Amino acid sequence: MSEPRIVVAGAGSIGCYVGGLLAAAGRHVTLLCRERIAAGIRDHGLHLTSLDGLDLHVGAGALTLATDPQALATADLVLVTVKSGATREMARLIAAHAPSEAAVVSLQNGIGNAAALRAELPHRPVLAGMIPFNVVHAGEGRFHRGTSGAPVIEAGRPDLTRALSVPHLAVETSADMAAVLWGKLLINLNNALNALSGLTLHEQLQQRPWRKLLAAQQREALSVLAIAGTKPWSMGPLPVRLLPWVLRLPTPLFRMMARSAVRIDRRARSSMWEDLERRRPTEIDELQGAVVDLAARFGRDVPVNRRVREAIKQAEAAGAGSPHLRPVDLR
């Protein structure tokens, strides 16, 4: 699969950013997306920027835009980037339209997406994957990556790793994707806090009360994961077990410790904030909800994760964007 035909299935912010980088490197890419996103790219092309200084324009003619799932019929490789709640629906579309030999890679938040895809696609090669960075859609074909990190996909298909490794997208592999996905989820527990605060990620993480709430969620999750026998992967140089301790440090010490762990653009916000602002369903059930569900299996309670999930559900129901809560509102 040296020159696979790649279909990005459900191309939103992450899908358009990844697909745009692949197309810029000469890969054959189709973005299967909503008409709103397709229209913006047709009119303006793809404009990809990042906190690292990337400023790349990809003309609309460098890739194929599609809104009909029949576009999956061209795929050698399908990158699934839909929200977790739409995974099974997308799997059924892949089953109906994609060639039987097409490989499928999940590049989604949450723990169970690859398993859901395998359940619907039992005779197809399905790999788990993880995108560590966040991307915000600024309209008119503009997509900005606001945090750092390298994508990871399940080991065993070096041809896919080569096909997906292009400039500005250095893909790594892992034989233990469950650990990788739980490690990412521990970081993603901040998505909801950022959405509820209405602040940028930089502003929010400079405030110790918000960091202490994130630390409390992570402590709950790490406790339950230890009972389950799962050791989550560390996304950066800092061991995952130390994350809550670092988050609780006074802000000057936190800045010193965090500087080497992750880079965050001052404009960056979480994808869940964007979901609330655009009145879209969030992935709270796949993040805090996954911690609550795992705890329930062992007869444990995780009250901070549970309260944060409830607050996001209330914000979704209100349909008014971020509620701009304070940390004390979640205690």
Side-chain angles (χ1 to χ4, degrees), residues 286-304:
E286 285 73 35
L287 299 177
Q288 274 78 359
V291 178
V292 172
D293 291 345
L294 183 64
R297 283 172 49 192
F298 296 99
R300 298 299 181 98
D301 187 24
V302 282
V304 184

Side-chain angles (χ1 to χ4, degrees), residues 36-49:
R36 171 180 58 84
I37 292 177
I41 298 172
R42 277 195 297 267
D43 292 343
H44 304 281
L46 271 174
H47 188 188
L48 309 180
T49 56

Side-chain angles (χ1 to χ4, degrees), residues 33-79:
C33 54
R34 297 185 185 278
E35 176 57 32
R36 171 180 58 84
I37 292 177
I41 298 172
R42 277 195 297 267
D43 292 343
H44 304 281
L46 271 174
H47 188 188
L48 309 180
T49 56
S50 77
L51 78 166
D52 302 316
L54 175 71
D55 193 340
L56 178 66
H57 189 269
V58 183
L63 42 73
T64 300
L65 298 169
T67 57
D68 189 327
Q70 289 186 6
L72 289 161
T74 67
D76 298 311
L77 170 59
V78 181
L79 303 180

Side-chain angles (χ1 to χ4, degrees), residues 61-137:
L63 42 73
T64 300
L65 298 169
T67 57
D68 189 327
Q70 289 186 6
L72 289 161
T74 67
D76 298 311
L77 170 59
V78 181
L79 303 180
V80 179
T81 59
V82 293
K83 296 288 186 182
S84 296
T87 299
R88 290 188 180 274
E89 178 185 358
M90 181 54 71
R92 289 189 282 270
L93 292 174
I94 293 169
H97 299 289
S100 59
E101 67 276 11
V104 179
V105 179
S106 166
L107 299 179
Q108 303 163 273
N109 283 332
I111 304 302
N113 290 299
L117 289 167
R118 291 187 184 109
E120 298 286 342
L121 304 167
H123 304 298
R124 296 171 186 256
V126 176
L127 283 72
M130 184 276 290
I131 297 291
F133 48 77
N134 86 311
V135 176
V136 172
H137 181 199

